[in-house]
Every structure is written in structure tokens, then in C-alpha cells.
Amino acid sequence: MELITIRELYRNKEQYIGKTVKVGGWVRSIRDSKAFGFIVLHDGTYFETLQIVYHDKMDNFAEISKLNVGSAIIIEGELVATPNAQQPFEIQAAAIEIEGASTAEYPLQKKRHSLEFLRTINHLRPRTNTFQAVFRVRSMIAYAIHKYFQDRDFVYVHTPIITGSDAEGAGEMFRVTTLDMDKLPMTKEGQVDFSEDFFGKETNLTVSGQLNGETYAMAFRNIYTFGPTFRAENSNTTRHAAEFWMIEPEIAFADLQDDMALAEGMIKFIIRYVLENAPEEMKFFNSFVDKGLLERLEHVMNAEFGHVTYTEAIEILEKNNDKFEYKVKWGSDLQTEHERYLTEEIFKKPVFVTDYPKDIKAFYMKLNEDNKTVAAMDLLVPGIGEIIGGSQREDNYEKLVARMKEMGLKEEDYDFYLDLRKYGSARHAGFGLGFERCVMYLTGMGNIRDVIPFPRTVNNCEL
Amino acid sequence: MELITIRELYRNKEQYIGKTVKVGGWVRSIRDSKAFGFIVLHDGTYFETLQIVYHDKMDNFAEISKLNVGSAIIIEGELVATPNAQQPFEIQAAAIEIEGASTAEYPLQKKRHSLEFLRTINHLRPRTNTFQAVFRVRSMIAYAIHKYFQDRDFVYVHTPIITGSDAEGAGEMFRVTTLDMDKLPMTKEGQVDFSEDFFGKETNLTVSGQLNGETYAMAFRNIYTFGPTFRAENSNTTRHAAEFWMIEPEIAFADLQDDMALAEGMIKFIIRYVLENAPEEMKFFNSFVDKGLLERLEHVMNAEFGHVTYTEAIEILEKNNDKFEYKVKWGSDLQTEHERYLTEEIFKKPVFVTDYPKDIKAFYMKLNEDNKTVAAMDLLVPGIGEIIGGSQREDNYEKLVARMKEMGLKEEDYDFYLDLRKYGSARHAGFGLGFERCVMYLTGMGNIRDVIPFPRTVNNCEL
């Protein structure tokens, strides 16, 4: 007889009640009296557990009653409706097989463990309620993102992880090498000879797929990337990891307005998808992790996002400078406190801030006609601050070259990028969504280490 | 007026014929006579092109007629049915705007370019027919894989890219470091001091997410990974890249039979998805890249895959040893020539080879009762050979430890992995699918460099 999942039992219970079913899973708790016992079983396919009732008519009654928490078992028995109990049904076991026992030393005993402790057992923590919920929702968000773009005929592009370009901020990049560190090859000039390295030159881990993504947008019109990116930042915060995933759509024949519409649609789509497909998990987060979560997400899903220019935003913020640690004026970069004030206190909903001063933004952003600001946008959401950053790209060859010169970038490092402006340039725009920040936003989890299966941070690369 | 995509025009043509539409795209070719001209337009959303007819009534007729191939333009005009032409419709342009011109030096002139040449312009080659087809199909295969697993409630797990484990074959791994190569910190003993490195120890790029994936299968029951993996192999072949993507599902309460059923279902699902969603691209491959492709894929989609044990396969192959460069006997690893002979000549369909000698397989594979073979499987397909490799995993703690000792592995490096066999061990199995090999299989493309947007191989890390 085939094993059935607990998810399937809940999904189509009418089909199974009164029938014999076979279920495999892990013991969450067990208690017995003289003649019978109860097992709470979890099989990893569904957030809710399944109650098993077993009797001393079973040959191995005593053995079963001695099982430790965490044991893997397979149960065959009748699924019985329990209209007066908390759960809609239970299994009256006819037979229980022990698949793999556990021990009294199993670290996940039936009690509440701190997130800090659970971080020390990354390989076991997905068996707890919190991480069952986090990582199933993480998986669903990833799929929702793919679905959003694929439903709209976007092409998914795998931009490279190893890159030979050190143009985007080499200080914060990880080097990739196969050179023998104990005997590095040297040039005649006494420098490390990277022509001996695997790729014949210096290489790093990518910090963004955007420039590569643009080359594909100019071929497929609408594309997105979804892959890992890396920052070797020596910062030990709850919001930074050295390895994280990014989504970077890029759309051609499109301007900043189109870009914002795409981002707004995506955020709403993801929220709707997760609320529909993981209601139990989301209820759990709302009860135990972040009390206002569901209300906030429903509000975001139904609100029309706000729009404000950076210049207008600064006017608003300057009037409230007494409330901020960092005082703002035109030209300042916005800090999280300012971002949250705008979205939480002023707009009370997600808001796009647009048209930032060119001096605090990247070289590739399209210069506005005022020659002072660029067609950039950040999306700020309540509870987080910035969740998305994007821009229309400079599509004019001369303006782009001038901007690169101003910023001290070498043209020859960007030949391929300039080619896009030589051969059929078209207005285009895109944005970046930090995947983990998105997972934190939808689950209410406060530490990035708790939304990544095996997090990598300074001095931490376990398993 | 909003731009419409060429894909949308083809998809719902009834809605648009006789109406005014606005389309943006790139000029594939252009020719004019005195009073009118024709443009073949491609917008990247659809494999087919769109014909534009324009007339000298337009003010910029002369300017348009001088456009170079590759120019980006925006056309407004009526979509007119052309029942007698090759294409179902064309646009009678009322106005054409030049979005971005091109030049006579544009490398993609209207002629056939070699794949070798196109590899030198990775940023432009996706604008050609071949690479439009390859990279749209690549995107669809990726989505089909996600859909297959998500429809079955598998949890997508992002296993780590940077890993501190060097246990899986350090010789072929890329090192990840932030140490200053010009002045490496040294220990008193004169060794490089990796405690000063970003993670406080030596780290590498992952070669497989399997062991991490197993920890999640023992929590969620059914999981899959889909991420980049790396091999620093110094091999310059048409089938090896230093950076490639892998899919690694892992299923608990499941054995080798379940594993093979999952793999067979996945391959058939992917093929069906691509044939349904990219018929034009697949027809193109069948006509211009690999003549037998469609027939082969249809056959695979409808055939029941064969099954043969390694021992039986060797018996068959030994009788044909005169046909092989490498002669086989029991204990030999199978080469591509043997694999292809089995699937193409003997079975004439995809075939699973199972139960390989333990000595040619990895330590974690489940030992069979004969104590000589392990519960491994390779899926061989016509035209390629091995496309999937998998196994049931050793779930018995003592047997796994014994096997690790035999192979000289240190238990302390695998504490987390052994924990899975201590606390509720359950039979489980999984496999690995090389994503690029899958794309080659479905498109008929012969060189892995031509199915990766920006390929990384020895001495090659461009863009």
C-alpha cells in the first residue's frame, strides 16, 4: 500500500474518511496509558499534525510506547472523523512499523527552543514549527516569483556567478581562485600572476546580474534573473548575509512608470499567492512571530501604492528632522528611519520614491532633464523600509559615456554595455528585489539568518 | 497607446486584425522601392517575426529606408490579414518612430554566422534565431522543472553556494577568499592563516547540494534544489563547464523505485511542457540543428523507460566489446560509448541502469544485500548517454560509518549527516540532473557553451 501525505489527507479528506490509509512521518510527541496511546505525527508535507491512536492489541504496543521524540514510523489504519476534537480526523492504527528510532538525546524535545539555539543545528531546525513555516513559505515565494514573470512571458536568464568584472566595487567582492595559496605564481615584477589562475585572470563572485541582464532585455525585451549574489561586507547585522538571492527583471521599450507598475504587480502577486497557498503557515506567523502581519499584508495587497519624488520626500522629512537620528537635507541618502517614517507615518502604505539626486545613485541610471536627478525608484514598505530598488537605464550613448567619465569608470571595461547603446538602443528599466528581504517581509521574521537554510555571514560558514 | 508584443498578436490575432496597434522591436531586415518598403521586425517576445509595410506618405520615409539592421523602432498602424502570404498578417504602418538607430558595423548582419563567431559576442548573440530559441527554451525548461516539483508539493531549498566542506573532492573546487593575495597572513608554522579569511576558515564553491538537501528531506519529506554548482576541472570539452546549474530532488520514505518513477515523470513532463509552449522553437531545432529531434523526444515522452541492472548491462556489453574503444568487464565504469549503445542499440529508448558496484560509486549510496552493489541508478537517453544519476541513500547509521571508514572519510566532517541516521532515520533517495545537459538534450545543441548565456570554462570568463 502506498504512503499518503498528511497534506493530501487534509486536502481531500472526504475521500479518505472511513478508509484504511498508510502514512509515514516523524513523532512529535507520544503518550500512553495502559491500554492505548496517542502519537502526534508530522510528515513535513503540511503544517498541521496528525493524531494517531494505537491500542495494546498491537504486538509491538510496548515498543511503540517507548519511542523517543523524532522517531520515524509508518502507520496503517482507518482515518476516522473526529467532529468534536480540534483536528478534523485521526488514525486508528492497525499496525505501526518503526522506520528509524530516535534517542533521548534528540535536540528537539517537545519544548520551545530559542532561535539562537536552533541556529546551532541548521540541519535539524527545519523540523520545528517555525522553520517548517519559514522554509515552505520561502519555497512558495520563489515559485510565485517565477510564475509571475513566466505568466507574462518573461525569459528567465541565468546570469553568471563567477565574473571577471571587478568594476562594481571590488572591495566587497569574494575572490574565486584555483591558485595554490602556499606557492602563488609570481610575475617578473613580483606580482601574483593571475594569468596562471583557472580563468587566466582575476575573478570574483557576482554582486549583481543587472548589466548581463540588460544585454538579454535588448534581445528578448522582457527578462528576469533569479540567482545567488554575494557581498563580502564585514557587517554583522540582522539584515545582511554574505550570500543571498536576488531577482532582477529588466524590461525594454519601457520607462520608470512601467518599472514601478511591474514591481507593484509582483509584490501583490506574491502576497496573494502565499496567503492562498500557505494559510496555516501565515496564521502561525501572525500569532507567534508578528502580530500585525496579516492585516499589513492584506492592506498592501489592496492598496494602490503611493508615489513621491525624492525632492518632495525631503521636504516632508525636513519638517520632521527632530524625530530622526540622521537629519536629512536635499542630497542626503535616505536611512531606514526616514524610509519607514515615509511609508508608515506619512503614506501609511507602500510608496515609491523617485528621481533621486544623481550623485547618490549608480552610473547607469537615466539622467532626468533637470540634469540633477536620475529616473530611479525605491519601493518602501511598512515594517521594513526599502524592499526594491530600480531605475530606468541611461540609453543614450553619449550621456552614458559622459557619466562614466565623471565617475572615473573606464570605457573599455564596459564595451559590451556600450554596444547596447550603439546597436538599436531602446528605453529600458529594471529593478532588484532582495529575495531574503522579501521572505522576511512576508513572514515577519526579524533575522536574515532565520530565513536562509544555511546562512553565510562573517566567520560563519557551517554545513 | 500601449505597445503590444508580437507574441500577443500571434496568440490572439482575431482580436487585433483590422485594428490599429503599436509595436516596438528591432529591424531584422529592410528593403524599399520608390514608394514603399518592407521591414522584418523582431521584438524578442516570439520566435516569429512581423512584417511591416510602410509608404512614402510618411514624412520620415527616406530616413526609415536608410535604417541599419538592428535599429530599434516603434510602429503604429493597422494589423492586416494576409491570407495568401507566409505570415498570417502584417502591419500597414501609419507612423514609424526611431527609438535607437544602429550602424553599418552592427555585427549581426543578415547572413548566417558560425556558432564560434557568435561565442565572441555573448552580449549580442541572443538576438539571433538560434539563441532566441535556445534561451527561451532554457527558460521554459527551468520553469517546467519548478512546476513539476511544486505541483507535487515539493519544497524548493536553496542549498549554499559557498561551502566550508572540502570533503567532496577538494582538488576540483574553486576557493573563495577575501584574503589579500599580495600579503597573505601566515601562521607561526608558516602556513596561510585561513582563520583570517572572511569565514574564519577555508571555503569553496559547492559541487553539489545533495548532503544539505538530505537534511531538508528529513524535515519536509519531498524537496528539490535548483542552483549553480562548480567544477574546476581543467577539461576543454563540448560537455563541461566550470559553472553550471543542477537540480537535486530528494524524497523521504522512498526507495530507488520511487526515485526512478520521479525521474521518469520529470523528464516526460519537461518534454511535454516545452513541446506545448515552444512549438516554433522546437520546429526550428528540428529543421536546423538536429533533424531527428522531435521524433526522438515524442518517442521518449511516450515510451515506458527500460530497466536493467548494471550486472545484466555488462553481460550485454561484453558480448559487443569488439565495438568499443574501452572494453568493459564487471567493475568497469561505463563510458559514454557504452551508455549510448545500451540506450540506442539495445533498448532503443531511455533506460535506467541500476545496482552498480559499490567501488565505483559514492560513499552515501545504500548497500544492497549482496554487499557488492549499491542502490544506484543512472538514466541513459538516446543521443546523450547519462542524463541523470541518483541513488537510494544509506540510511543505516552503522553501515554508513563502516562505508566511510572503508573510504577514508572522517566521521567528524559528517556529524550533521550522521545525525540524520540517529534521529528518526528514514529510507530516502534522490538524483541529480545537470540542467545544461538537459537543455542540450531538448534542443539538440552540441556544445554546452551554446546553452549557457555567459559560459565559464578554462581560461574563459568573459562579461
Side-chain angles (χ1 to χ4, degrees):
Chain A
M1 188 173 193
E2 276 214 11
L3 294 187
I4 198 163
T5 64
I6 296 181
R7 178 173 287 268
E8 172 62 13
L9 290 180
Y10 272 87
R11 191 184 272 156
N12 296 309
K13 54 173 174 284
E14 307 73 25
Q15 247 177 270
Y16 299 105
I17 289 198
K19 304 243 170 76
T20 296
V21 296
K22 199 169 178 182
V23 176
W26 291 274
V27 174
R28 277 278 176 91
S29 70
I30 187 163
R31 66 194 160 85
D32 71 297
S33 62
K34 265 172 220 162
F36 58 93
F38 298 98
I39 294 169
V40 174
L41 189 82
H42 191 265
D43 81 344
T45 66
Y46 193 61
F47 191 71
E48 304 293 338
T49 54
L50 177 63
Q51 174 154 280
I52 314 290
V53 185
Y54 65 103
H55 295 270
D56 60 0
K57 281 168 281 179
M58 288 188 334
D59 290 344
N60 58 353
F61 178 79
E63 194 188 359
I64 297 297
S65 296
K66 273 182 235 142
L67 281 176
N68 283 296
V69 171
S71 298
I73 56 176
I74 293 174
I75 302 101
E76 198 169 329
E78 191 189 338
L79 191 74
V80 179
T82 52
N84 301 318
Q86 226 189 327
Q87 293 201 324
F89 45 67
E90 63 186 24
I91 290 185
Q92 293 280 351
I96 300 182
E97 244 176 275
I98 300 171
E99 173 78 6
S102 183
T103 76
E105 285 72 49
Y106 183 52
L108 297 172
Q109 295 301 320
K110 194 176 164 14
K111 61 160 199 156
R112 211 178 164 118
H113 299 282
S114 74
L115 295 175
E116 290 74 21
F117 166 70
L118 292 172
R119 269 175 227 142
T120 67
I121 46 170
N122 281 336
H123 60 307
L124 300 176
R125 67 176 181 168
R127 303 179 182 196
T128 64
N129 271 335
T130 303
F131 291 100
Q132 279 279 311
V134 166
F135 291 116
R136 195 186 321 281
V137 167
R138 182 180 164 113
S139 167
M140 284 184 182
I141 296 173
Y143 187 59
I145 290 168
H146 280 296
K147 188 166 164 48
Y148 178 74
F149 289 114
Q150 296 268 344
D151 283 353
R152 283 151 189 79
D153 300 314
F154 280 55
V155 170
Y156 176 29
V157 182
H158 291 101
T159 50
I161 312 301
I162 303 174
T163 164
S165 142
D166 62 353
E168 296 166 74
E172 294 177 351
M173 291 174 98
F174 288 100
R175 178 186 299 284
V176 174
T177 180
T178 55
L179 292 179
D180 184 345
M181 305 280 270
D182 288 320
K183 27 181 187 187
L184 290 173
M186 301 303 256
T187 62
K188 277 183 232 154
E189 294 76 30
Q191 306 276 304
V192 178
D193 186 1
F194 288 104
S195 73
E196 297 280 311
D197 210 342
F198 189 87
F199 295 108
K201 63 177 178 181
E202 293 190 66
T203 53
N204 299 296
L205 291 178
T206 184
V207 298
S208 160
Q210 181 199 316
L211 303 195
N212 295 88
E214 280 185 56
T215 69
Y216 270 60
M218 300 306 279
F220 286 101
R221 188 162 160 185
N222 295 329
I223 66 100
Y224 69 107
T225 73
F226 191 158
T229 47
F230 305 84
R231 295 286 148 78
E233 264 177 85
N234 198 339
S235 57
N236 222 328
T237 79
T238 56
R239 294 154 62 93
H240 291 88
E243 175 179 315
F244 55 98
W245 288 61
M246 283 246 283
I247 296 94
E248 297 182 285
E250 190 78 30
I251 48 180
F253 292 98
D255 60 19
L256 195 66
Q257 298 303 320
D258 300 311
D259 203 31
M260 290 190 282
L262 184 72
E264 180 167 342
M266 181 191 70
I267 293 287
K268 288 176 173 175
F269 183 90
I270 297 172
I271 294 174
R272 182 164 295 116
Y273 187 88
V274 170
L275 291 177
E276 274 173 16
N277 289 280
E280 296 80 13
E281 285 81 357
M282 295 307 287
K283 223 176 101 194
F284 170 84
F285 291 127
N286 195 58
S287 301
F288 297 105
V289 175
D290 180 352
K291 297 275 179 214
L293 182 70
L294 285 180
E295 199 189 342
R296 201 163 65 234
L297 293 178
E298 299 270 1
H299 177 59
V300 168
M301 199 166 63
N302 298 309
E304 201 171 311
F305 290 11
H307 292 265
V308 63
T309 66
Y310 169 88
T311 302
E312 290 160 356
I314 289 291
E315 279 169 25
I316 296 167
L317 293 168
E318 270 185 316
K319 289 187 196 135
N320 296 282
N321 254 338
D322 55 319
K323 302 196 180 76
F324 304 131
E325 191 182 344
Y326 296 95
K327 315 299 171 195
V328 294
K329 60 172 198 281
W330 202 95
S332 313
D333 218 344
L334 299 187
Q335 306 292 323
T336 302
E337 56 173 338
H338 311 125
E339 293 172 346
R340 292 189 58 172
Y341 188 80
L342 282 170
T343 177
E344 289 167 17
E345 304 298 323
I346 304 296
F347 286 87
K348 299 184 199 305
K349 63 181 181 181
V351 58
F352 288 103
V353 180
T354 60
D355 304 295
Y356 284 79
K358 66 176 178 177
D359 294 332
I360 60 173
K361 289 289 183 184
F363 76 95
Y364 49 71
M365 297 192 180
K366 188 167 181 63
L367 195 60
N368 287 326
E369 289 185 1
D370 62 13
N371 266 322
K372 277 166 39 186
T373 60
V374 288
M377 64 93 163
D378 280 0
L379 175 61
L380 316 180
V381 293
I384 294 259
E386 186 206 324
I387 191 165
I388 280 175
S391 73
Q392 192 171 338
R393 321 305 188 185
E394 185 54 79
D395 50 51
N396 180 288
Y397 183 87
E398 284 77 26
K399 286 188 189 168
L400 184 59
V401 168
R403 190 78 188 111
M404 287 170 59
K405 274 190 188 140
E406 264 177 48
M407 299 183 71
L409 299 172
K410 287 185 226 150
E411 273 180 61
E412 59 265 34
D413 289 342
Y414 295 90
D415 275 346
F416 77 98
Y417 195 65
L418 290 168
D419 274 0
L420 304 181
R421 280 75 180 166
K422 259 193 224 165
Y423 306 129
S425 189
R427 76 197 75 167
H428 62 293
F431 64 80
L433 169 71
F435 182 60
E436 279 75 12
R437 198 165 280 192
C438 181
V439 178
M440 292 171 75
Y441 178 57
L442 265 89
T443 60
M445 296 296 287
N447 193 317
I448 198 168
R449 290 164 183 78
D450 297 331
V451 301
I452 300 179
F454 302 90
R456 271 78 180 98
T457 53
V458 186
N459 284 318
N460 176 38
C461 184
E462 294 308 311
L463 306 194
Chain B
M1 188 173 192
E2 276 215 9
L3 294 187
I4 199 162
T5 64
I6 296 182
R7 178 172 288 267
E8 172 62 13
L9 290 180
Y10 273 87
R11 193 185 271 156
N12 296 308
K13 54 172 175 283
E14 307 74 23
Q15 245 177 272
Y16 299 104
I17 288 195
K19 304 244 169 74
T20 295
V21 296
K22 199 168 177 181
V23 177
W26 291 274
V27 173
R28 278 278 177 92
S29 69
I30 187 164
R31 65 193 161 85
D32 71 297
S33 62
K34 266 171 220 164
F36 57 93
F38 297 97
I39 294 170
V40 175
L41 190 82
H42 191 265
D43 81 344
T45 66
Y46 194 60
F47 191 71
E48 303 294 337
T49 53
L50 177 63
Q51 174 153 283
I52 315 289
V53 185
Y54 65 102
H55 295 269
D56 61 0
K57 282 167 284 179
M58 287 188 333
D59 290 344
N60 58 354
F61 179 80
E63 193 187 1
I64 296 297
S65 295
K66 274 183 232 139
L67 280 177
N68 284 296
V69 172
S71 298
I73 55 176
I74 294 173
I75 302 101
E76 198 170 328
E78 190 188 339
L79 192 74
V80 179
T82 53
N84 300 319
Q86 223 188 331
Q87 292 202 326
F89 45 67
E90 63 187 22
I91 290 184
Q92 293 281 351
I96 299 182
E97 246 175 90
I98 300 171
E99 173 78 9
S102 183
T103 77
E105 285 73 48
Y106 184 52
L108 298 173
Q109 295 300 322
K110 197 177 161 16
K111 62 160 200 157
R112 211 181 163 115
H113 300 283
S114 75
L115 295 176
E116 290 73 20
F117 166 71
L118 292 172
R119 269 175 227 142
T120 66
I121 46 169
N122 281 335
H123 60 308
L124 299 177
R125 68 175 180 167
R127 303 178 181 196
T128 64
N129 271 336
T130 302
F131 290 100
Q132 279 279 312
V134 166
F135 290 116
R136 195 186 320 281
V137 167
R138 181 179 165 114
S139 167
M140 284 184 182
I141 295 174
Y143 187 58
I145 290 168
H146 279 297
K147 188 164 164 51
Y148 178 74
F149 289 114
Q150 296 268 345
D151 283 353
R152 284 152 189 78
D153 300 314
F154 280 55
V155 170
Y156 176 29
V157 182
H158 291 99
T159 50
I161 312 302
I162 303 175
T163 164
S165 141
D166 61 353
E168 295 165 75
E172 294 177 352
M173 292 173 97
F174 289 101
R175 178 186 299 283
V176 174
T177 181
T178 56
L179 293 179
D180 183 345
M181 305 280 273
D182 287 321
K183 28 181 187 189
L184 290 172
M186 301 302 258
T187 62
K188 278 182 233 157
E189 293 77 29
Q191 306 278 302
V192 177
D193 185 2
F194 288 105
S195 73
E196 298 280 311
D197 210 341
F198 189 87
F199 295 107
K201 62 177 179 184
E202 294 191 65
T203 52
N204 298 296
L205 291 178
T206 185
V207 298
S208 160
Q210 182 200 314
L211 304 194
N212 295 88
E214 281 185 57
T215 71
Y216 269 60
M218 300 306 279
F220 286 101
R221 188 163 159 183
N222 295 329
I223 65 100
Y224 69 108
T225 73
F226 191 158
T229 46
F230 304 85
R231 295 287 149 77
E233 264 177 86
N234 198 339
S235 57
N236 223 330
T237 78
T238 57
R239 295 156 60 92
H240 291 87
E243 176 180 316
F244 55 99
W245 287 62
M246 282 245 285
I247 295 95
E248 297 182 285
E250 190 77 31
I251 48 180
F253 292 99
D255 61 18
L256 195 67
Q257 298 302 320
D258 300 312
D259 203 32
M260 289 190 283
L262 184 72
E264 179 168 342
M266 182 192 69
I267 294 287
K268 289 177 173 174
F269 184 89
I270 298 171
I271 295 174
R272 181 164 297 116
Y273 187 88
V274 171
L275 291 178
E276 275 173 18
N277 289 280
E280 295 81 12
E281 285 82 354
M282 296 306 289
K283 223 176 101 194
F284 170 84
F285 291 127
N286 194 59
S287 300
F288 296 104
V289 176
D290 181 353
K291 297 274 180 216
L293 181 70
L294 284 180
E295 198 189 342
R296 202 164 65 234
L297 293 178
E298 300 270 1
H299 177 60
V300 168
M301 199 165 62
N302 298 310
E304 201 170 311
F305 291 9
H307 291 265
V308 63
T309 66
Y310 169 88
T311 303
E312 290 160 356
I314 289 292
E315 279 170 25
I316 295 166
L317 292 169
E318 271 186 314
K319 288 187 198 134
N320 295 281
N321 255 338
D322 55 318
K323 302 196 181 75
F324 303 130
E325 190 183 347
Y326 296 94
K327 315 298 171 195
V328 295
K329 61 172 198 281
W330 203 96
S332 313
D333 218 345
L334 299 186
Q335 307 290 324
T336 303
E337 58 174 336
H338 311 124
E339 292 173 347
R340 293 189 59 171
Y341 188 81
L342 283 168
T343 179
E344 290 167 16
E345 303 298 323
I346 304 295
F347 285 87
K348 301 184 197 303
K349 63 180 181 181
V351 57
F352 288 104
V353 180
T354 60
D355 305 296
Y356 283 79
K358 65 176 179 177
D359 294 332
I360 59 174
K361 288 291 182 182
F363 76 95
Y364 50 70
M365 297 191 179
K366 188 167 181 64
L367 195 61
N368 285 327
E369 287 182 4
D370 62 14
N371 268 322
K372 278 168 35 188
T373 60
V374 288
M377 63 93 164
D378 281 359
L379 174 61
L380 316 180
V381 293
I384 294 259
E386 187 207 325
I387 190 165
I388 279 175
S391 72
Q392 191 170 338
R393 319 306 186 185
E394 185 55 79
D395 50 48
N396 180 288
Y397 183 88
E398 284 76 27
K399 286 188 189 165
L400 183 58
V401 169
R403 190 78 186 110
M404 287 170 61
K405 276 190 188 141
E406 262 177 50
M407 297 182 74
L409 300 171
K410 286 185 229 153
E411 273 179 61
E412 59 265 34
D413 289 342
Y414 295 89
D415 276 345
F416 78 98
Y417 195 66
L418 289 168
D419 274 0
L420 304 180
R421 279 75 180 166
K422 258 193 222 166
Y423 305 130
S425 188
R427 76 196 78 166
H428 64 290
F431 64 79
L433 168 71
F435 181 60
E436 279 75 12
R437 198 165 282 191
C438 180
V439 177
M440 292 170 75
Y441 178 56
L442 264 87
T443 59
M445 296 296 288
N447 193 317
I448 198 167
R449 290 164 184 76
D450 296 330
V451 301
I452 300 180
F454 302 90
R456 271 78 181 97
T457 53
V458 186
N459 284 319
N460 176 39
C461 184
E462 294 308 312
L463 306 195

